[in-house]
Amino acid sequence: MNLIISGTNRPNSYSEKVANYYLSKLSEDGEGWRLLSLNELPESFVFSDMYGKRSSAFQGIQEMVSEAKKIVFVIPEYNGSFPGILKAFVDALSFPHSFHHKKAALIGLSSGKYGNIRGVDHFTGVCNYLRMHVLPLKIHIPSILTEIDEDGTIKEGTARQFMDEQIKEIKEF
């Protein structure tokens, strides 16, 4: 089993739409993939699941991450980096077995023109600390608002071409 994490708890986010595109494409070959949107975290997560405590609601999420062999992170830009909820999520998971020596792929997106380059770079450092093997091809999607139709469909174009190239590499990774 593999996992795609939509790295924000914002409802109906563009990150989740991109994550769903990846889920659709990565599942085509029959390799098991699941999507975890951080908006599925328990509301009291930062109080009930940090520092070694585990709520029953978070236990299933912990098991999902522990079982994953590959993890794709879709990371929106928040204040020039990645969302704090993503860092809190990583901090809440059991260390080291949640991430050690697992494969990671990173996708950054933003409404601005840089596609969360800094946030993906920052999160790469976190992945390296966790001893994850990060796919060298990292995707940065600028102007995400223009890349997705109202129904959530990724438009044809350069961003989709780069996503499809990365998806191919994730399958081979």
Side-chain angles (χ1 to χ4, degrees):
M1 198 271 301
N2 301 300
L3 191 58
I4 301 166
I5 296 175
S6 174
T8 179
N9 59 341
R10 179 175 291 183
N12 197 32
S13 68
Y14 284 92
S15 299
E16 192 167 340
K17 292 171 183 169
V18 170
N20 275 308
Y21 179 77
Y22 272 73
L23 178 64
S24 163
K25 293 296 189 176
L26 288 167
S27 297
E28 288 176 347
D29 296 344
E31 190 174 3
W33 286 90
R34 291 185 67 184
L35 172 61
L36 172 63
S37 177
L38 295 188
N39 66 18
E40 297 174 38
L41 292 173
E43 282 191 31
S44 63
F45 148 77
V46 294
F47 298 103
S48 61
D49 297 300
M50 298 293 290
Y51 315 115
K53 297 181 281 178
R54 260 317 152 255
S55 68
S56 59
F58 192 76
Q59 186 56 41
I61 293 169
Q62 174 64 65
E63 290 170 6
M64 194 183 322
V65 174
S66 294
E67 292 172 11
K69 303 294 183 222
K70 297 177 187 176
I71 303 175
V72 174
F73 293 93
V74 181
I75 308 169
E77 181 177 338
Y78 277 36
N79 300 312
S81 190
F82 59 87
I85 193 72
L86 179 56
K87 180 65 165 81
F89 173 70
V90 168
D91 290 347
L93 291 162
S94 298
F95 182 83
H97 75 276
S98 295
F99 297 109
H100 265 204
H101 303 293
K102 294 185 178 185
K103 296 175 180 179
L106 309 180
I107 302 103
L109 51 101
S110 70
S111 58
K113 60 182 178 178
Y114 298 113
N116 198 15
I117 290 172
R118 264 184 292 193
V120 169
D121 189 42
H122 295 163
F123 199 74
T124 299
V126 172
C127 290
N128 290 337
Y129 178 82
L130 296 170
R131 296 186 188 172
M132 295 187 83
H133 305 283
V134 179
L135 182 70
L137 179 59
K138 299 170 196 165
I139 301 300
H140 305 281
I141 307 170
S143 305
I144 190 64
L145 306 176
T146 65
E147 298 294 339
I148 298 179
D149 288 333
E150 287 182 27
D151 65 357
T153 303
I154 307 293
K155 294 179 182 178
E156 295 287 338
T158 306
R160 185 168 169 176
Q161 179 184 345
F162 285 131
M163 285 189 265
D164 290 343
E165 181 182 348
Q166 186 188 44
I167 287 166
K168 182 177 183 260
E169 289 200 18
I170 291 168
K171 290 178 180 182
E172 297 169 357
F173 190 39

